[in-house]
Amino acid sequence: MDVQRFEAAADPAAVRALHEIYRAGAPVDEPGGPPMSAAVFSGLLVRGWCAEPRDNWLARDGGTVLGGYSLELPDRENRDRAALMLLVAPERRRSGAGSALLRHALARADELGRGTVTSEVLDGTPGDAFARAMGARADLVENRRTLDLTAIPDGQLARLRAAALAHADGYTLTSWDGPTPDQWREPVARMNEAMADAPRGAGEQPQVWTADRVAEADRLSLEKGLRRYSLAAVAATGELAALTQLSVEEAEPAWGHQEMTAVARAHRGHRLGLLTKVAMLEWMADREPRLEYVETWNGEDNAHMVAINVALGFAKPHRVTAWLLPTRVPAASGPR
Ligand SMILES: CC(C)(COP(=O)(O)OP(=O)(O)OC[C@H]1O[C@@H](n2cnc3c(N)ncnc32)[C@H](O)[C@@H]1OP(=O)(O)O)[C@@H](O)C(=O)NCCC(=O)NCCS
């Protein structure tokens, strides 16, 4: 097996080859959801979700691409770790390629100064069995849930909106699509930081946000062909009190991807999480008429957020485990 580094921005053929492998495995690796489109996958390999540097590698066997990996290397916080996406073509699995690529990735991450590699995997998939076999340590557990918009009973959203409004006196709703308007960038940065109150992995540092980082994340979203919608609650003082964001991939208009939902600490207890999410769904019925499903990920212990989502009808929880592996593994306990 020959493992070569590639520059995702300069080598679309390499990105395409890895995306084909990803898509071929998706029915078993990511059951119940749409696989990332080529545009999103490519954007991810080039600049990540948040402009984090990446290190991409392709594995060939006699000219045939059989897999590869991509390391995300956070450079603002969590500089001690790297997030790994490791892929082996379905027809080449169970013959040691994954273990060999993992060894390569661990050595590479170590060389780049990272002490830990992390990876999120749906429970019950080959990646789950692989992570266990490699001696990885389970960390944060999340649940992916899906809302079937076509199954929401008539009048349900109006009922939930009324129930939320009864606690939300003095707040107004506002929305924008695409990049964050100038006046909201700084407040949106603070909202992103409010996400630090959601459960996160052991030793994982919360992200530090600035108005520039917000603008950069917006740009990356656009570059990937994502239509991103933001719906906010504003307090009587003019302060941004709550924000929920959802994006839709150009290539998959039936699926919405829930991004952050956060309520500023001073404004919790007013049902603003529920209110903004209901308003988002009502808005989407207009703006994204082809939308049928929305998927969301929540930490298993995030009781308030989970309660809101269950009230909205999000169902079919599928556990996702974040796995951790030190890059320098004692010979006796590490991957083969
Ligand atoms: C996970 C993945 C990379 C494994 O690739 P692979 O080439 O099949 O891995 P290996 O052949 O080196 O497997 C090593 C060991 O992992 C375990 N394992 C891997 N896949 C398994 C499966 N489907 N069922 C049970 N055990 C499995 C086994 O113990 C295996 O050893 P064995 O074959 O001698 O029993 C591959 O399934 C994949 O691309 N999955 C999708 C992406 C993913 O989940 N990546 C992992 C996290 S980044």
Side-chain angles (χ1 to χ4, degrees):
M1 185 168 78
D2 175 39
V3 187
Q4 294 288 337
R5 184 160 185 264
F6 67 95
E7 275 310 328
D11 195 345
V15 175
R16 225 173 8 254
L18 204 52
H19 182 246
E20 275 164 23
I21 287 174
Y22 160 76
R23 273 199 95 101
V28 292
D29 299 328
E30 296 183 5
M36 275 183 273
S37 65
V40 171
F41 189 87
S42 165
L44 185 62
L45 259 48
V46 173
R47 300 236 289 143
W49 296 115
C50 242
E52 261 109 13
R54 297 191 76 98
D55 198 59
N56 301 311
W57 294 76
L58 210 55
R60 292 185 180 80
D61 178 17
T64 310
V65 177
L66 65 93
Y69 70 87
S70 178
L71 286 169
E72 178 188 80
L73 304 158
D75 58 352
R76 286 168 277 207
E77 48 285 304
N78 295 307
R79 293 164 64 148
D80 60 331
R81 46 182 70 194
L84 172 68
M85 175 168 70
L86 170 64
L87 293 164
V88 172
E91 70 279 9
R92 304 298 294 257
R93 293 182 183 179
R94 299 305 290 274
S95 55
S99 324
L101 269 174
L102 179 64
R103 275 196 299 274
H104 194 286
L106 290 173
R108 178 65 180 157
D110 182 47
E111 190 184 348
L112 295 167
R114 310 289 162 145
T116 304
V117 157
T118 67
S119 198
E120 289 175 350
V121 184
L122 284 163
D123 284 16
T125 63
D128 179 15
F130 176 75
R132 291 168 199 274
M134 297 297 107
R137 183 166 66 79
D139 192 23
L140 182 70
V141 175
E142 294 183 275
N143 274 290
R144 185 192 68 187
R145 287 183 175 79
T146 305
L147 174 61
D148 180 350
L149 296 171
T150 64
I152 298 179
D154 281 351
Q156 168 84 345
L157 291 181
R159 274 192 296 278
L160 290 171
R161 178 192 268 264
L165 276 174
H167 298 264
D169 241 12
Y171 293 94
T172 51
L173 295 178
T174 187
S175 61
W176 61 88
D177 61 20
T180 312
D182 283 359
Q183 85 265 25
W184 290 125
R185 277 191 198 143
E186 189 58 42
V188 168
R190 301 289 73 75
M191 270 315 158
N192 273 284
E193 289 188 341
M195 291 294 287
D197 294 343
R200 58 177 185 279
E204 188 185 339
Q205 297 167 342
Q207 293 183 329
V208 176
W209 282 78
T210 61
D212 284 348
R213 191 170 186 173
V214 169
E216 186 178 56
D218 287 348
R219 267 198 305 280
L220 291 187
S221 205
L222 273 181
E223 278 172 26
K224 293 188 184 78
L226 290 168
R227 295 194 287 271
R228 181 199 271 149
Y229 300 94
S230 301
L231 208 142
V234 181
T237 53
E239 197 188 338
L240 192 61
L243 177 66
T244 189
Q245 295 183 311
L246 181 143
S247 68
V248 180
E249 278 184 45
E250 236 157 53
E252 286 283 357
W255 279 85
H257 304 276
Q258 176 68 51
E259 298 181 0
M260 70 123 98
T261 299
V263 179
R265 273 167 223 143
H267 299 282
R268 291 183 186 161
H270 292 279
R271 309 287 197 274
L272 298 180
L274 179 61
L275 182 62
T276 51
K277 290 194 77 161
V278 167
M280 173 67 87
L281 294 177
E282 291 174 334
W283 186 26
M284 289 304 99
D286 231 30
R287 289 300 303 273
E288 291 285 346
R290 289 184 290 172
L291 204 61
E292 290 176 41
Y293 304 102
V294 178
E295 58 136 24
T296 190
W297 292 42
N298 305 121
E300 200 164 51
D301 300 335
N302 197 347
H304 294 307
M305 195 70 250
V306 171
I308 290 171
N309 288 331
V310 169
L312 285 164
F314 280 89
K316 297 192 191 150
H318 194 147
R319 276 167 60 102
V320 184
T321 300
W323 293 94
L324 304 181
L325 206 51
T327 53
R328 289 190 186 180
V329 193
S333 62
R336 296 166 298 159

